[in-house]
Amino acid sequence: MNFDDTPQEAAFRSEARAWIDANAPRELEAQLSRPSVGRVKLDGIDIITASKAWQKTKAAGGWACLHWPKEYGGRGASPIERVIWQQEEGVYDKLSGVFLIGQGMCGPTMMAYASEEQKRRYLPPLASGEEIWCQLFSEPSAGSDVAGLRTRAEKQGDEWVINGQKIWTSGAHYSDYGIVITRTDPTVPKHKGLTMFFLSMKTPGVEVRPIKQANGGQEFNEVYFTDVRIPDAQRLGAVNDGWNVSLTTLMNERLSIGARVWTGFSEIFAFCSDFMTENGPALDDRAVRSRLANWAVRHSGLKYTSYRSISALSRGERPGPENSIGKLVSGSMMQDIAAFALDLQGAAGALTDPELAEAAGQFQSMLLQSPSGRIAGGTDEILRNIVAERVLGLPGDIRVDKDMPFNQVPTRGRKS
Amino acid sequence: MNFDFSEQQKQLRDEARRYLAEHSSPKAVRAVLDGAAPFDRALWKGLGGMGFLGVAVPEEFGGAGAGHLELCVIAEEMGRALAPVPFSSSIYLATEAIMLAGDDDQKRRLLPGLASGQTIGTLALFERPGNPSPRAIAATVAGGVLSGTKVPVADGAIADLAVVAARSGSGGRDTDISLYIVDLAGKGVTRKTLANLDPTREQAEIVFQDCPAELLGPAGEGWSILTRVLDRAAVLMAFEQVGGADRALEMGRDYALDRIAFGRPIGSFQAVKHMLADMYVSATLARSNAYYGAWALSTDAAELPEAAATARISATQAFQHCAKNNIQVHGGMGFTWEFDCHLYYRRANALALSLGSLSYWEDQLIDRLRSRNAA
Ligand SMILES: Cc1cc2nc3c(=O)[nH]c(=O)nc-3n(C[C@H](O)[C@H](O)[C@H](O)COP(=O)(O)OP(=O)(O)OC[C@H]3O[C@@H](n4cnc5c(N)ncnc54)[C@H](O)[C@@H]3O)c2cc1C
């Protein structure tokens, strides 16, 4: 048992480190090192501009989308090399946020289902950050139950005509392309009548409307499709096989193991070390210590769980199911940590102005941002179902609509 | 990175699991529960014969000379099988203390017996309710003889020797504490078995009256040695707890698949599924933290103090969580003497209190993280 690199891994690490030393945008290091929740804000430069610049530099040096084949803009690196790269990239990985969905979900789907010509056209600029992609899956009446989506695609000659609405599409407002899942046959059960496509966000009939978030930010959008026409060549996978295509996308995520665990623990520990109560540092308080110890072991548990998965990658094996607990633990932990930090501050905890609020207002931001962590990318409840069913082998939920033709399934969307 | 046990270590784990499935069956555990004997002597002998007891003891002192990673995988299986033997007292505590602080003569004299199981050892630390603290120690050694009362002492009535923490000076400082080895069959020792939460493991009161006591390690350094022994034991105990947690989760899962209510397996109800999923989460966190502890223990890493506290807290939480929800999943059956759920519940709660309880380790962890951050 050890944390050591194999000689090959060590060589890769020092190559990566040397390259980062020579090429990273040092002028942003201090700003990127600041704790941040949600979207990173930089002074004097737009985050997307900064992200694109760093991604382009990485691509030119052969360090973008490491695990992708070279001909599609990657490096042909192994999964473990990808992890080592992330470890070495450190705070600069905050400049990868806007590419995450495109490179993590859309890219692999294109890789599996697009034509050779399309792959050569679309993947390299996706890898190099010149083009940003978004994922158009969720709809007003189909989130957890995404297979219940209603956006229609109808075949007309050699084209498909798409009508409907997507929602919660992160980054749609700055994306160039997207993958979109649609209903192509409403007369069969819901999983059997879906088809996946990709399209340019500039296609006529696509309209992006930003949604203001609960925390005041604006990262996700509604996307309306009105008679949007795209050629059949932009179909990914067979007609009515979209559900399987989407599963391929999601499966790919299993192999991407975060090199760093973020739970808010270091932030709350630092805060409690500095914050003075009337009896001295908060860290001396029995109740505070107990809460912190509880979070410390959860943080550490996630970190070493990911190390176990990384070790499997290093041996060339597939990681086990243990990695599936990550977001389930960190999501609610961040929310609890934020609330606890504010509790220590008393009435002043309600102040959000970074100039006035303790710790530059980071826990206030965390409080307002953290509910999304328990929803985006699968809610806590859906994740528990996944652990129960796929890891523990418990029966699936009873699904009354599973074998029913989709157009006979009862529905009720959101009201507001 | 290879943050995992080796193939050989995994084979050892399988071997221990098979051995314990046969020799520490629920029936054998229940024999001790029902008071047939204070521990399973045949199992203890067998474990010695298999070489499991002395796996981390160097060959020159009668052990297998493998190492602590090997001991960790065996500990996990002991926990899974609820082995009704003084393994933790004798191996994690007494043997570790002597390996850590004993001089050559003591090691030569005592380790072979501990490694084979001929001798059972324990640690006599606690005297009154509360967590480990030098101020809570009143037992005193003067002129080479020990007097005082220790309670509770795990496996105290069945052990042959005890490592005893006692006051060797008159002040209340950490430096007034030393460790001693005391022969429990010697004169002046009075022992009494006490009723406790987990009857599959013995607990005793030991009264020492002018008992000959042999110094273990330098005089006045007892508390710092003890702290290190507790750290090492915490990692090993964490594996035992992880083994127990895993088994409790498995029992709950199996029952949820089997039991039908409202015309369907109870494991198809989300409330039950989510309860089991949460048990899996805590068991997984605990396992990963225990591995971290194992790494630190086996490499004598500078992080051992914080790794040990982390492993201990996480494993205590996981075993308690899994054991209590295992009962919940079983419904009324879970609250019967007949079903094994309560054996895990008892063991989980008893182990949570040994070696210092959660609040002690929480304090330790925060102190240790704080001093590392300051450094
Ligand atoms: C910040 C953010 C970014 C997002 N980005 C994207 C994006 O880029 N692209 C995209 O396609 N989507 C995106 N989403 C959408 C996200 O995937 C969905 O919000 C999520 O899957 C939940 O779906 P929903 O909102 O419809 O909630 P619902 O599915 O209506 O859930 C409401 C509640 O019911 C519970 N529930 C639902 N079904 C079950 C069940 N079977 N068992 C138990 N409980 C259940 C849920 O857990 C939840 O508590 C984003 C969401 C957020 C918050």
Side-chain angles (χ1 to χ4, degrees), chain A residues 101 132-134 169-176 219-221:
Chain A
I101 290 176
I132 298 182
W133 286 55
C134 62
T169 317
S170 300
H173 52 306
Y174 51 72
S175 288
D176 303 287
E219 300 301 325
F220 58 24
N221 306 271

Side-chain angles (χ1 to χ4, degrees), chain A residues 155-176:
Chain A
K155 190 93 186 280
Q156 285 185 9
D158 209 25
E159 283 185 335
W160 291 88
V161 182
I162 306 180
N163 278 290
Q165 184 201 345
K166 295 289 173 179
I167 197 170
W168 321 129
T169 317
S170 300
H173 52 306
Y174 51 72
S175 288
D176 303 287

Side-chain angles (χ1 to χ4, degrees), chain A residues 103-409:
Chain A
Q103 296 178 349
M105 322 228 1
C106 306
T109 313
M110 291 291 285
M111 201 97 68
Y113 293 97
S115 71
E116 187 54 37
E117 199 188 330
Q118 288 167 336
K119 288 196 260 190
R120 287 179 191 272
R121 154 64 187 87
Y122 292 105
L123 291 174
L126 169 49
S128 67
E130 279 157 76
E131 291 172 353
I132 298 182
W133 286 55
C134 62
Q135 180 206 5
L136 300 141
F137 283 19
S138 303
E139 295 186 9
S141 61
S144 303
D145 182 17
V146 70
L149 61 89
R150 320 194 138 251
T151 294
R152 288 280 281 136
E154 282 165 307
K155 190 93 186 280
Q156 285 185 9
D158 209 25
E159 283 185 335
W160 291 88
V161 182
I162 306 180
N163 278 290
Q165 184 201 345
K166 295 289 173 179
I167 197 170
W168 321 129
T169 317
S170 300
H173 52 306
Y174 51 72
S175 288
D176 303 287
Y177 292 89
I179 55 173
V180 57
I181 185 162
T182 61
R183 182 154 313 274
T184 37
D185 186 353
T187 66
V188 293
K190 63 179 182 180
H191 292 98
K192 303 209 164 102
L194 303 175
T195 304
M196 186 82 80
F197 300 93
F198 73 90
L199 84 173
S200 162
M201 294 300 283
K202 287 159 196 105
T203 314
V206 176
E207 187 199 345
V208 177
R209 293 187 202 159
I211 305 174
K212 188 165 183 181
Q213 296 166 178
N215 65 346
Q218 236 164 50
E219 300 301 325
F220 58 24
N221 306 271
E222 291 178 296
V223 180
Y224 289 85
F225 292 79
T226 316
D227 291 329
V228 174
R229 293 181 165 269
I230 57 171
D232 187 50
Q234 286 174 212
R235 175 166 45 81
L236 296 169
V239 175
N240 294 334
D241 198 33
W243 183 248
N244 283 324
V245 177
S246 75
L247 289 185
T248 317
T249 312
L250 302 172
M251 291 299 213
N252 251 289
E253 281 309 283
R254 253 297 268 298
L255 282 178
S256 77
I257 285 153
R260 290 197 302 163
V261 171
W262 195 63
T263 58
F265 174 69
S266 343
E267 288 79 3
I268 189 69
F269 192 86
F271 178 68
C272 292
S273 306
D274 294 342
F275 185 75
M276 295 302 279
T277 69
E278 63 181 305
N279 301 316
L283 200 52
D284 288 343
D285 184 270
R286 182 73 270 259
V288 171
R289 293 164 78 89
S290 179
R291 296 291 294 271
L292 286 178
N294 186 38
W295 287 318
V297 307
R298 292 176 89 71
H299 179 85
S300 157
L302 286 188
K303 172 174 167 191
Y304 292 104
T305 298
S306 87
Y307 280 18
R308 285 167 61 202
S309 302
I310 292 169
S311 300
L313 290 180
S314 170
R315 288 193 300 265
E317 296 164 12
R318 246 174 193 276
E322 66 278 348
N323 222 46
S324 55
I325 68 172
K327 194 171 84 81
L328 196 46
V329 174
S330 61
S332 55
M333 192 168 148
M334 268 183 250
Q335 206 166 15
D336 294 346
I337 281 177
F340 183 68
L342 301 199
D343 179 87
L344 287 174
Q345 298 167 27
L351 304 178
T352 53
D353 182 344
E355 299 287 310
L356 284 175
E358 290 289 334
Q362 59 170 307
F363 295 105
Q364 284 77 5
S365 306
M366 194 191 283
L367 183 88
L368 295 175
Q369 171 74 31
S370 55
S372 72
R374 299 177 56 201
I375 299 167
T379 65
D380 280 6
E381 293 69 35
I382 294 298
L383 295 181
R384 285 196 179 90
N385 265 4
I386 290 176
V387 168
E389 292 168 23
R390 305 216 191 123
V391 182
L392 299 177
L394 293 163
D397 287 355
I398 291 177
R399 291 164 207 266
V400 287
D401 58 354
K402 194 164 148 251
D403 302 311
M404 201 184 279
F406 180 72
N407 52 14
Q408 293 170 29
V409 173

Side-chain angles (χ1 to χ4, degrees), chain B residues 227-258:
Chain B
T227 307
R228 289 165 63 207
V229 171
L230 288 179
D231 283 351
R232 302 170 80 80
V235 173
L236 297 163
M237 191 66 97
F239 274 89
E240 202 169 311
Q241 292 169 301
V242 163
D246 256 12
R247 180 66 197 130
L249 167 59
E250 255 173 47
M251 289 167 72
R253 194 263 323 262
D254 292 350
Y255 192 77
L257 285 170
D258 198 46

Side-chain angles (χ1 to χ4, degrees), chain A residues 289 300 305 311 389 397, chain B residues 3 270 273 288-289 363 367:
Chain A
R289 293 164 78 89
S300 157
T305 298
S311 300
E389 292 168 23
D397 287 355
Chain B
F3 185 55
Q270 274 199 357
K273 286 165 76 168
S288 301
N289 281 322
D363 258 342
D367 283 342

